[in-house]
Amino acid sequence: EELDLSMNQLTGPIPPQLGQLRMLRDLRFGDNQLSGPLPRTLMSLELDLFWFTGTNLCEPPDWEFQRWLASIPKLKRTAVLCRKG
């Protein structure tokens, strides 16, 4: 139910396979060198807590993904939208 990967010097993108962890409710990536867009597969998760501040991750700008993010009660985000193209 909980995956805390904060402060682990992680780099690169988040693997889309994390969206398959259906029981996950608490996901923390904060303070890593992760980069790239948040995978859309995360939208299959019903998160209560999602922290990804202190990273270089960006948020897909479409309304569906933004609505999913807004539904997470405890959210700490970069608020950086991914650029199109």
Side-chain angles (χ1 to χ4, degrees):
E1 291 186 10
E2 180 179 329
L3 181 60
D4 187 348
L5 299 171
S6 300
M7 296 186 279
N8 278 295
Q9 300 178 357
L10 300 175
T11 61
I14 294 175
Q17 293 84 352
L18 279 180
Q20 297 172 5
L21 302 175
R22 302 277 192 244
M23 299 300 291
L24 200 57
R25 296 293 176 259
D26 181 331
L27 182 56
R28 302 172 197 219
F29 293 125
D31 300 313
N32 282 295
Q33 294 302 309
L34 295 166
S35 59
L38 292 169
R40 296 186 61 75
T41 55
L42 295 179
M43 292 180 7
S44 64
L45 303 176
E46 294 180 27
L47 296 175
D48 296 319
L49 184 146
F50 187 24
W51 292 356
F52 57 98
T53 54
T55 68
N56 295 312
L57 295 166
C58 64
E59 305 170 6
D62 61 278
W63 70 270
E64 189 176 28
F65 195 90
Q66 291 297 312
R67 184 178 66 185
W68 172 76
L69 276 177
S71 74
I72 301 170
K74 297 176 183 170
L75 179 64
K76 289 187 180 180
R77 62 201 285 189
T78 60
V80 174
L81 298 179
C82 302
R83 293 183 181 173
K84 292 184 179 182

